[in-house]
């Protein structure tokens, strides 16, 4: 791939393909070397280290490439800031028939990469437009939807 060699970007240009390849290369290396047994486990305890390492491989943070935490998109650490998300990532909306009120108290402790509006992590090297479709976040949405279907409060 042009601009990508041995898991490192060799030009100053980052692309979605280079980001995907950097995620896959680092993820596979961490699993092979025993840093984590799976991409799932990277996302459950090593997500910040992983995101920072991927970004470093690509030359560091920029205006279009950054790491974010879920609580950066909240009003108080427990309630999503729907207005903030709509301004910056309008494709990031609740899934599974849930609305913003259903998500009160559900803000994952997770760090992920955002590049040109798409969200990436160890389980999602291709990226998604809706952060609620990241596998780690999606599993939480599935749990909340099931709890709502059974009549439990999701708060």
């Amino acid at each position: 791939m042009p601009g990508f060699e041995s898991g490192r970007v060799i030009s100053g240009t980052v692309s979605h393909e280079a980001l995907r390849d950097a995620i896959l290369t680092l993820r596979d290396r961490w699993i092979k070397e025993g840093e984590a047994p799976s991409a799932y486990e990277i996302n459950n305890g090593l997500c910040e280290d992983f995101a920072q390492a991927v970004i470093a491989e690509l030359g560091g943070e920029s205006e279009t490439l950054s790491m974010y935490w879920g609580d950066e998109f909240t009003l108080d650490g427990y309630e999503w800031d729907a207005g903030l998300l709509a301004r910056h990532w309008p494709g990031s909306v609740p899934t599974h028939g849930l609305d913003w009120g259903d998500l009160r108290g559900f803000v994952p402790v997770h760090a992920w990469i955002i590049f040109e509006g798409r969200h990436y992590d160890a389980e999602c090297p291709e990226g998604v437009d809706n952060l609620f479709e990241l596998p780690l976040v999606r599993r939480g949405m599935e749990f909340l939807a099931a709890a709502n279907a059974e009549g439990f409060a999701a708060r």
Side-chain angles (χ1 to χ4, degrees):
M1 161 174 204
F4 195 80
E5 184 176 289
S6 302
R8 295 195 68 85
V9 172
I10 56 175
S11 74
T13 306
V14 176
S15 68
H16 293 279
E17 294 79 16
L19 175 55
R20 177 201 61 217
D21 291 350
I23 290 169
L24 290 170
T25 299
L26 187 63
R27 179 183 80 183
D28 292 349
R29 184 170 57 220
W30 280 24
I31 292 169
K32 181 180 179 184
E33 293 174 358
E35 292 289 324
S38 67
Y40 172 86
E41 293 299 331
I42 290 170
N43 277 348
N44 285 278
L46 298 171
C47 57
E48 179 180 17
D49 294 338
F50 185 80
Q52 289 175 341
V54 168
I55 290 170
E57 288 285 322
L58 297 171
E61 288 198 39
S62 69
E63 287 184 26
T64 59
L65 178 68
S66 296
M67 181 190 80
Y68 290 92
W69 281 94
D71 65 354
E72 292 182 80
F73 304 108
T74 68
L75 298 170
D76 58 5
Y78 298 99
E79 183 176 347
W80 289 96
D81 186 338
L84 176 68
L85 287 168
R87 274 191 309 280
H88 296 283
W89 299 283
S92 289
V93 295
T95 59
H96 294 82
L98 300 170
D99 63 33
W100 294 109
D102 296 323
L103 302 185
R104 174 97 176 119
F106 170 70
V107 178
V109 178
H110 185 49
W112 67 94
I113 299 165
I114 298 179
F115 176 63
E116 294 184 342
R118 286 182 67 81
H119 307 266
Y120 299 82
D121 66 17
E123 291 181 279
C124 195
E126 296 293 333
V128 291
D129 291 326
N130 183 350
L131 76 89
F132 295 101
E133 293 175 355
L134 285 170
L136 181 133
V137 182
R138 186 185 67 238
R139 286 188 291 273
M141 301 295 287
E142 291 167 354
F143 174 81
L144 288 174
N148 279 354
E150 294 176 16
F152 296 108
R155 300 169 211 269

